[in-house]
Amino acid sequence: MKTLDKIPTGKIERTSSLLKAGAKVGVNYLKYYGNKITKDEDEARKILNEDNAADIYDSLKELKGSALKVAQMLSMEKNILPVEYVEKFSLSQFSVPPLSGALVKKTFRKYFGKNPEDIFDEFSAESVNAASIGQVHTAKKDGKKLAVKIQYPGVRESISSDLKMVKPIAMKMFNIKKEGSESYFQEVEDKLFEETDYNLELKRSQHFAEECSHLPNVKFPHYYPEFSCEKIITMDWMSGIHFSEFTKKQNSQEDLNKIGQTLWDFYMYQMHILKKVHADPHPGNFLISENNELLVIDFGCIKEIPEDFYIPYFELAKEENLKNPEIFREKLFTLEILREDDSPQEKEFFAKLFYELLELFTRPFNQEKFDFSDESFFQEIADLGQKYAKASDMKGMNTNRGSRHFIYLNRTFFGLYNMMHDLKAKDVAINNFKNYCK
């Protein structure tokens, strides 16, 4: 894979790159109309989606940063995007062009005053993993193998301008109205700024590793503050295969269930005990060891859950509250899903919509054990998403719904459910995490 000697950091440069992708998309549509003459509609549409996904992704991977992070987030939205986009955007989890060795050395000299080979006993010039915000190199120090994560230059500085470019696309894709949407986009911007603060990530990583160290079958690296700074994090090298590779192997159901229970317990413990959660559950952030241990290697995105949101959020997960109209409606107002200025039509429509959504998504929480290999459950999720994506009733309604805290909590559950489904984990004990309360 080629390396990058320069990443566009200026607003004009980055906008220009996306405009070029837009021009290619326009050409792809011309090809699509031609293909419809010689091919059937499904084949022509598949070619269009593949070409558009490739051109958009090629542009985003050169930009890196928050633009590529959006692609990474969208790769988890399997029920929203065509499969061609999901497959291409999923590459952003761990397969993008790395920085050149010269840029890596420049970063070390800026923050440590030395080249990496002068700090470590050994340092790999080539990265072993490149993603949206940073890339990883291997190193050795005093006999220990280390992973050194280096942030791409200009990522933090381009967040605000990138979001302004992406905002119109996101608003159209998710039917977001301009009025009242500021808090949602501010939440995303704040989280992206946090993800580019490696000093903050180091503290959070150490905190989570300590607080969750007693959970069975989950492992965390040791971190090295003396070899870390605002753009570099050094930690132990963790040996294992990517989560996605593991799910594609021929595994016994026992092993799949073991990893599934570990992953579920890890997330439930965070949500219910720590009241803060690793809000980026995608396969690129996890490895599986040869002993079938879950290895957590990235704590860049953490969402703290305020008590006044946590209580009504999880109260609505209880079946008895969902089926009590008075309590159900009260919680919808508390969580800003319904508003006092809604019309009677809006109140009726969104109460029905969120009842269907919550009844479906909270099913695991109302059972002692749940089968995440159940295809019918995930088909229901896909069908419900399609149903409301096409709902003509929503035209003219204010569709900005819910507290800003929903963004990362819902993202966490979408990602977690997708990973549990990829594992095909069965008989997952939903409240098993309670056994590990300190």
Side-chain angles (χ1 to χ4, degrees):
M1 185 182 292
K2 70 172 184 176
T3 60
L4 300 179
D5 294 312
K6 183 178 183 296
I7 297 174
T9 55
K11 182 178 179 181
I12 294 175
E13 286 181 291
R14 295 177 75 82
T15 303
S16 175
S17 181
L18 283 180
L19 288 175
K20 288 177 185 175
K24 290 180 180 178
V25 168
V27 172
N28 293 338
Y29 270 97
L30 292 177
K31 287 164 57 181
Y32 164 67
Y33 295 127
N35 284 335
K36 284 176 69 175
I37 299 172
T38 59
K39 298 176 173 64
D40 65 47
E41 170 64 25
D42 288 343
E43 186 180 356
R45 174 65 64 175
K46 183 175 185 295
I47 294 171
L48 172 67
N49 287 340
E50 287 175 346
D51 290 345
N52 281 348
D55 289 332
I56 293 170
Y57 176 70
D58 285 345
S59 175
L60 294 178
K61 74 182 182 183
E62 300 295 327
L63 292 176
K64 297 187 181 290
S66 48
L68 187 57
K69 191 73 179 177
V70 170
Q72 185 188 84
M73 292 167 70
L74 289 174
S75 73
M76 302 302 290
E77 304 293 347
K78 298 178 181 179
N79 300 320
I80 295 174
L81 293 182
V83 65
E84 294 82 9
Y85 285 84
V86 172
E87 290 176 352
K88 181 59 70 172
F89 287 4
S90 65
L91 294 173
S92 64
Q93 292 170 7
F94 41 71
S95 180
V96 295
L99 290 182
S100 68
L103 273 181
V104 170
K105 288 186 177 184
K106 184 178 179 181
T107 302
F108 266 90
R109 288 196 299 270
K110 179 177 180 180
Y111 291 98
F112 289 105
K114 298 178 181 178
N115 286 322
E117 56 266 30
D118 298 323
I119 297 173
F120 302 104
D121 299 332
E122 294 179 26
F123 183 84
S124 65
E126 294 183 4
S127 74
V128 293
N129 187 354
S132 55
I133 289 177
Q135 65 186 44
V136 176
H137 292 249
T138 59
K140 281 190 176 180
K141 185 72 174 179
D142 299 330
K144 290 183 179 178
K145 188 175 182 181
L146 307 173
V148 184
K149 185 165 72 169
I150 303 164
Q151 189 176 128
Y152 304 130
V155 167
R156 187 176 182 83
E157 293 74 16
S158 62
I159 287 173
S160 296
S161 59
D162 278 1
L163 284 181
K164 285 177 182 176
M165 288 191 292
V166 171
K167 188 175 180 179
I169 301 170
M171 292 178 76
K172 185 174 182 181
M173 183 176 291
F174 298 107
N175 196 26
I176 299 171
K177 304 297 182 186
K178 183 177 181 181
E179 184 179 352
S181 66
E182 294 81 6
S183 64
Y184 303 140
F185 286 103
Q186 190 62 53
E187 175 80 354
V188 174
E189 185 170 340
D190 290 346
K191 281 285 162 282
L192 287 170
F193 274 115
E194 288 180 10
E195 286 194 66
T196 56
D197 182 351
Y198 279 5
N199 284 327
L200 177 61
E201 181 176 342
L202 176 67
K203 290 178 183 176
R204 284 174 164 175
S205 300
Q206 292 175 309
H207 173 74
F208 271 80
E210 181 180 349
E211 290 294 325
C212 299
S213 61
H214 66 295
L215 298 179
N217 208 49
V218 59
K219 303 294 181 185
F220 309 91
H222 176 76
Y223 294 86
Y224 298 86
E226 66 270 30
F227 303 128
S228 304
C229 63
E230 62 186 271
K231 301 295 181 186
I232 297 170
I233 294 181
T234 301
M235 66 193 85
D236 285 336
W237 177 263
M238 304 292 277
S239 295
I241 62 172
H242 281 294
F243 184 93
S244 294
E245 293 176 55
F246 176 80
T247 57
K248 291 173 184 174
K249 288 173 53 185
Q250 290 294 322
N251 299 292
S252 69
Q253 190 63 54
E254 183 182 0
D255 288 343
L256 294 173
N257 291 349
K258 179 181 179 182
I259 296 295
Q261 188 69 63
T262 302
L263 182 65
W264 186 261
D265 289 346
F266 174 53
Y267 269 91
M268 293 305 102
Y269 189 84
Q270 294 172 72
M271 288 186 184
H272 296 296
I273 306 303
L274 303 183
K275 302 292 174 59
K276 57 185 75 168
V277 67
H278 178 275
D280 198 8
H282 70 75
N285 285 337
F286 298 89
L287 302 175
I288 308 298
S289 76
E290 60 180 10
N291 297 322
N292 287 327
E293 297 164 314
L294 182 71
L295 312 179
V296 190
I297 57 174
D298 188 295
F299 282 100
C301 184
I302 301 298
K303 172 63 183 174
E304 297 191 12
I305 312 171
E307 195 75 11
D308 60 356
F309 179 81
Y310 170 86
I311 292 173
Y313 185 89
F314 283 101
E315 281 181 340
L316 269 185
K318 297 176 182 177
E319 189 175 16
E320 62 267 28
N321 290 336
L322 271 179
K323 293 185 175 180
N324 184 315
E326 189 175 323
I327 294 176
F328 177 65
R329 182 165 284 243
E330 176 197 335
K331 301 305 176 190
L332 291 187
F333 276 103
T334 302
L335 292 167
E336 302 172 42
I337 292 169
L338 294 182
R339 295 194 297 267
E340 295 295 343
D341 60 348
D342 283 339
S343 67
Q345 181 189 9
E346 285 174 324
K347 287 176 182 174
E348 181 182 353
F349 178 85
F350 287 109
K352 181 176 182 291
L353 163 60
F354 279 91
Y355 178 84
E356 289 189 44
L357 285 171
L358 289 165
E359 189 281 323
L360 179 56
F361 276 97
T362 61
R363 278 184 205 169
F365 293 95
N366 291 291
Q367 300 181 28
E368 287 187 15
K369 293 186 176 182
F370 194 78
D371 180 2
F372 285 95
S373 71
D374 181 1
E375 294 294 339
S376 64
F377 173 69
F378 290 91
Q379 188 58 51
E380 280 190 70
I381 292 176
D383 291 344
L384 190 61
Q386 289 299 312
K387 173 185 173 181
Y388 282 101
K390 297 174 181 176
S392 58
D393 295 0
M394 296 180 75
K395 290 180 180 177
M397 289 187 182
N398 187 343
T399 54
N400 300 348
R401 296 284 151 177
S403 161
R404 62 186 174 88
H405 300 299
F406 272 110
I407 295 174
Y408 281 91
L409 259 292
N410 286 354
R411 177 192 177 192
T412 299
F413 274 111
F414 266 110
L416 178 60
Y417 277 24
N418 280 328
M419 290 179 71
M420 296 295 290
H421 184 225
D422 289 343
L423 283 166
K424 301 292 188 289
K426 297 181 179 180
D427 298 323
V428 176
I430 298 304
N431 292 312
N432 193 56
F433 74 94
K434 293 180 180 178
N435 294 322
Y436 310 120
C437 296
K438 293 181 180 179

